[in-house]
Amino acid sequence: MAKGSQIQFNFHTVQDAQTGARVTRLTPPDVLCHRNYFYQKCFTRDGGKLLFAGEFDGNRNYYLLDLKTQKAVQLTEGKGDNTFGGFLSPDDQYLYYVKNERSLQRVKLADFSEKTVYTVPEDWVGYGTWVANSECTSLVGIEISREDWTPLSDWKIFQEFYHSNPHCRLLRVDLISGKSRVIHEKNEWLGHPIYRPFDDNTVAFCHEGPHDLVDARMWLVNEDGSNVRKVKEHARGESCTHEFWVPDGSALMYVSYLKGQQDRHIRRYEPQTGEDICLMTMPACSHLMSNENGTLLVGDGSGAPVDVKDTASHTIENDPWLYIFDARTRQHAPLAAHNSSWRVLDGDRQVTHPHPSFSPDDRHVLFTTDYEGLPALYLAEIPDALLSSLRKD
């Protein structure tokens, strides 16, 4: 299929058996489809269109789905799209994504014309999710030395890669000129670079690897490469993961969990003061994301983590629910069951992960699950009664 090709979908809506929430399947369960990474922009500003990835012709490419007409238009073509890292520009005019681990591409949505903004040097590989600043004038990403690189096709390789101490560098790419500059470089596995919203001087990144082995997961660095500092010292037996900036830039939030415990914790770090607090205890969710100002959060219940070394000490009961959290009252409630298998599928460790996030109006949660077949996209409507129950102290 070529760019500009259109596919007519037929959405299917059911009510969750326990909560009564309306859950709509957007994409067919017999074609692999998934959403992008949970903190990357996927909805247009008005909430009417949605970016997603699908394998409709054997290649996994990007599509833009009109939620009113239920029609998707193809935005990219061919092999090699990084379909987790792509995002829509703030003005809804462009899609940015990395192709073949080498080329940072920009697609104009109006006519599907495509431009290479930046090319990774031959000796390097573009790794993971690359994230733009609020104005979409620059971007931070990770490059890994090609001679150290191994495709991370399962969790065993993930663990082995950590011990190889790959040569990594965190870089800034100017999205206007295409020029790049290295911010931080180390013989250590680096990942998850994220600009603090509305503060280009502050960039978060992580020390990647099994959560119970990394020295400290979350780090900050100034955009000019100065003042590299850790967000927190891990407590004994503590693992931290899936950090994200609240979209208004007010805080860095993340998941914390302790060896041998079922519950997990939502923690909040204030970058100006360095204050780090436990906001609330939660069920065993893997990913978290907030709404624009951090007053509401959504998480995806999971099972025993596979990204730890000591799996026996982290065995927990599987939790198949999506949860809504109110950060002000510290209350939470189940929204709907996602029932994802969390399986590795055809060498892809992420494709069945729910990765939930809110729609722009905070009335729906977007997520991926494979419970009806292949991974597909779903929208769960948040009932008014659920929100009312969370507001009661």
Side-chain angles (χ1 to χ4, degrees), residues 124-331:
W124 297 84
V125 169
Y127 165 72
T129 300
W130 292 18
V131 178
N133 62 351
S134 296
E135 294 183 350
C136 207
T137 55
S138 62
L139 171 150
V140 284
I142 299 291
E143 292 178 340
I144 299 180
S145 171
R146 183 169 293 279
E147 66 179 15
D148 293 343
W149 172 243
T150 299
L152 305 175
S153 55
D154 62 39
W155 291 107
K156 181 176 182 294
I157 295 174
F158 173 90
Q159 298 219 15
E160 293 170 348
F161 193 65
Y162 165 77
H163 292 289
S164 73
N165 293 318
H167 186 186
C168 297
R169 62 187 189 184
L170 165 62
L171 72 154
R172 173 193 181 271
V173 177
D174 187 307
L175 293 178
I176 308 302
S177 69
K179 294 180 179 179
S180 68
R181 175 171 51 81
V182 175
I183 298 174
H184 181 62
E185 190 166 0
K186 206 167 184 182
N187 289 325
E188 191 165 27
W189 190 5
L190 308 178
H192 286 265
I194 329 172
Y195 269 112
R196 182 187 179 195
F198 310 107
D199 174 16
D200 290 0
N201 188 50
T202 304
V203 177
F205 66 97
C206 81
H207 285 185
E208 187 62 275
H211 298 159
D212 53 345
L213 294 185
V214 295
D215 58 338
R217 161 82 181 191
M218 298 163 299
W219 295 73
L220 301 179
V221 60
N222 293 354
E223 192 190 37
D224 64 5
S226 64
N227 196 19
V228 179
R229 67 268 192 200
K230 65 181 68 175
V231 168
K232 69 167 295 184
E233 294 278 357
H234 290 196
R236 185 176 178 84
E238 181 185 24
S239 294
C240 299
T241 185
H242 292 130
E243 65 281 356
F244 66 92
W245 289 109
V246 174
D248 67 5
S250 58
L252 185 76
M253 302 186 78
Y254 61 97
V255 178
S256 168
Y257 61 101
L258 295 170
K259 184 168 68 173
Q261 294 189 13
Q262 170 81 19
D263 288 336
R264 298 190 172 193
H265 307 279
I266 302 173
R267 297 194 65 93
R268 185 182 191 276
Y269 173 81
E270 210 289 319
Q272 298 303 117
T273 65
E275 180 185 43
D276 182 72
I277 64 169
C278 180
L279 188 65
M280 60 190 297
T281 300
M282 67 171 179
C285 292
S286 179
H287 306 90
L288 280 177
M289 188 58 202
S290 75
N291 63 351
E292 179 68 24
N293 61 9
T295 54
L296 290 175
L297 297 101
V298 60
D300 49 3
S302 62
V306 292
D307 42 7
V308 293
K309 174 65 175 176
D310 183 6
T311 54
S313 296
H314 289 85
T315 300
I316 59 174
E317 183 180 349
N318 183 62
D319 188 321
W321 291 94
L322 295 171
Y323 292 94
I324 302 295
F325 304 89
D326 190 307
R328 293 165 293 194
T329 63
R330 291 170 166 78
Q331 302 293 317

Side-chain angles (χ1 to χ4, degrees), residues 355-372:
H355 291 145
S357 67
F358 291 99
S359 59
D361 62 2
D362 292 351
R363 297 314 307 264
H364 294 83
V365 165
L366 172 70
F367 65 102
T368 301
T369 179
D370 62 344
Y371 90 98
E372 289 189 283

Side-chain angles (χ1 to χ4, degrees), residues 330-351:
R330 291 170 166 78
Q331 302 293 317
H332 71 272
L335 169 61
H338 63 74
N339 288 320
S340 176
S341 72
W342 296 86
R343 61 178 168 151
V344 176
L345 181 60
D346 298 331
D348 193 323
R349 297 174 297 113
Q350 298 278 340
V351 73

